[in-house]
Amino acid sequence: MSITQQHLLDLYRAQQLGEPTPPAPGTHDRRVVREWRDERRFRAVLAGRPAGGRQRIRYALGRWLHPRRRFTG
């Protein structure tokens, strides 16, 4: 059963039972990702590590986009 079929079945059941309809799949994805990121930052601070993740991403992208030449001499 696909996620769409499951959602339609849940809508039908909610309507039959007079309950509020469940949210559509993917409705709260941004909020969940934001809360997950905030939780990771919080745990990093508690562990004594830097909370920022952007520096690591920029460093990794910089290494990937601008590789240093290896000395072959």
Side-chain angles (χ1 to χ4, degrees):
M1 179 180 295
S2 72
I3 193 167
T4 304
Q5 292 170 334
Q6 181 64 47
H7 180 65
L8 291 174
L9 182 62
D10 291 342
L11 286 175
Y12 176 75
R13 287 180 182 163
Q15 184 181 15
Q16 294 296 316
L17 298 173
E19 297 175 352
T21 59
T27 303
H28 302 292
D29 286 353
R30 287 184 181 170
R31 188 173 76 190
V32 169
V33 170
R34 191 175 302 123
E35 289 175 4
W36 176 71
R37 182 191 65 212
D38 291 345
E39 177 72 18
R40 285 186 62 214
R41 288 180 177 171
F42 177 71
R43 289 187 184 272
V45 169
L46 289 180
R49 296 187 313 261
R54 290 185 179 176
Q55 292 82 10
R56 288 183 294 172
I57 293 172
R58 286 182 184 161
Y59 179 72
L61 285 175
R63 286 186 309 176
W64 184 63
L65 293 174
H66 305 291
R68 294 183 180 185
R69 295 182 183 175
R70 293 184 181 174
F71 180 71
T72 58

